[in-house]
Amino acid sequence: MILANHGATRAHIIVADEASAATWRAAEVLSSYLYEMTGANLTIHPASRGTIGNQDAAEICVGQTGRAGEPELTGLKNDGYILKTVGNRLFILGENDRAVLHAVYAFLEDVLGCRFFTDTVEHVPQRAYLAIGEVDKKVVSPFEYREVFGNVCYDDDEFAAKRGLNGQGYRMDEEHGGSILYHGFVHTFDVLVPAKEYFAEHPEYFSMIDGKRYSGETDATHGFARTQLCLTNPDVLKIVIEKTRKNIEEHPECTIFSVSQMDWYNPCQCPECARVDAEEGSHMGTMLRFVNECADFVAEEFPHVIIETLAYQYTRQAPKI
């Protein structure tokens, strides 16, 4: 399938008439890089124009166009995508708008040899004559949520898209397909059940340390004894479930909600928490039982939502059960 020959165009890029901003962006990115590689200007056309020019000209269909031979999207998830040649057409398809843009960058990198090292350093091979053989790739990431802590990605939507990232830290715009949005992110216990609000009347909601409940205030023995929640207290579970439900209702744009420990130690040592943790061989025992119970309640009303927690500090050891 010939795309360009010494500056002459041998293919066109096709998008649906009603293509989204991200799909148009994907088509423009593809055209731009192909021009940089070959000097040939592969123009973008709406699908309704039918066959463009030469009947033998190849077509690169970006997003769903309804062209003959278009593969089904069955089985795609986690921004999965398809790259597939059918006759003289190359289909670049994605599960969603964001995935279409990721698919274009994957085609440029995996098939055409481009390399995107940083936001300012990349390699674009030069090809006077550019043709591709048969392509048949279906890619589904094992990770639904992909975020890398690093300023290079956070400061540049385009580079984040080039690397197939989708986390909320990037806050990607419509042209880049948006991000998966996360409510709370991490360390939410004191937001869900604030010690300042509850401790005076309900110290039993918070960590017992050496036989005493702690609110997070200065203590002569323990210094600044920052507290966590008592995860075997049924009233704490009820409060967290109700607060999480409210957060979901108030933030429909988010699909992940955090129920997670604070950014310090001091897990609860009360007899029941200690019993569960001993049975599980880890403080993650009380944590996962609590979070799973919260998730079970939420799932009945909001099956599309994910409840997140951390394996962090004292919960890093996996539980036995």
Side-chain angles (χ1 to χ4, degrees), residues 105-307:
Y105 280 122
F107 171 70
L108 290 170
E109 188 164 31
D110 298 341
V111 179
L112 300 188
C114 294
R115 294 292 180 265
F116 308 116
F117 299 115
T118 75
D119 56 338
T120 58
V121 179
E122 58 187 39
H123 169 67
V124 180
Q126 302 300 293
R127 302 281 188 268
Y129 174 81
L130 181 62
I132 60 172
E134 182 179 352
V135 178
D136 190 0
K137 292 172 67 75
K138 182 177 182 179
V139 177
V140 177
S141 171
F143 297 102
E144 178 173 0
Y145 185 92
R146 301 180 298 279
E147 181 170 347
V148 178
F149 286 175
N151 290 338
V152 169
C153 298
Y154 288 139
D155 293 343
D156 191 323
D157 282 358
E158 203 67 49
F159 185 65
K162 288 174 182 178
R163 303 320 313 145
L165 303 175
N166 63 11
Q168 82 154 11
Y170 311 115
R171 294 279 174 172
M172 289 188 277
D173 59 22
E174 185 181 1
E175 279 197 342
H176 293 87
S179 305
I180 293 178
L181 298 183
Y182 207 129
H183 186 269
F185 194 55
V186 292
H187 308 315
T188 58
F189 275 180
D190 197 55
V191 176
L192 295 167
V193 188
K196 288 184 179 179
E197 179 180 345
Y198 286 98
F199 187 83
E201 293 188 13
H202 295 284
E204 71 275 14
Y205 290 177
F206 301 93
S207 291
M208 176 181 284
I209 301 171
D210 296 336
K212 180 180 177 181
R213 300 285 181 175
Y214 281 91
S215 66
E217 297 176 353
T218 301
D219 174 79
T221 303
H222 295 84
F224 189 57
R226 299 173 177 181
T227 193
Q228 305 284 354
L229 297 180
C230 178
L231 297 178
T232 56
N233 186 304
D235 291 333
V236 172
L237 178 63
K238 291 176 184 176
I239 292 168
V240 169
I241 288 171
E242 187 52 40
K243 183 66 72 69
T244 301
R245 284 185 69 261
K246 184 178 179 183
N247 288 338
I248 295 169
E249 290 173 347
E250 292 179 350
H251 298 277
E253 73 282 4
C254 296
T255 55
I256 304 177
F257 291 79
S258 177
V259 177
S260 55
Q261 70 209 66
M262 299 305 293
D263 195 9
W264 45 73
Y265 287 79
N266 293 327
C268 185
Q269 301 170 358
C270 79
E272 184 59 15
C273 284
R275 182 193 68 78
V276 173
D277 287 342
E279 184 176 79
E280 294 276 12
S282 169
H283 289 297
M284 186 55 110
T286 48
M287 183 68 68
L288 272 188
R289 291 188 188 191
F290 181 88
V291 172
N292 284 342
E293 201 164 350
C294 179
D296 287 343
F297 274 95
V298 167
E300 294 180 9
E301 190 174 356
F302 306 101
H304 67 289
V305 162
I306 290 172
I307 302 299

Side-chain angles (χ1 to χ4, degrees), residues 11 14 48 60 83 93 106 113 123 182 221 242:
I14 308 298
S48 62
I60 305 176
L83 307 175
L93 300 164
H123 169 67
Y182 207 129
T221 303
E242 187 52 40

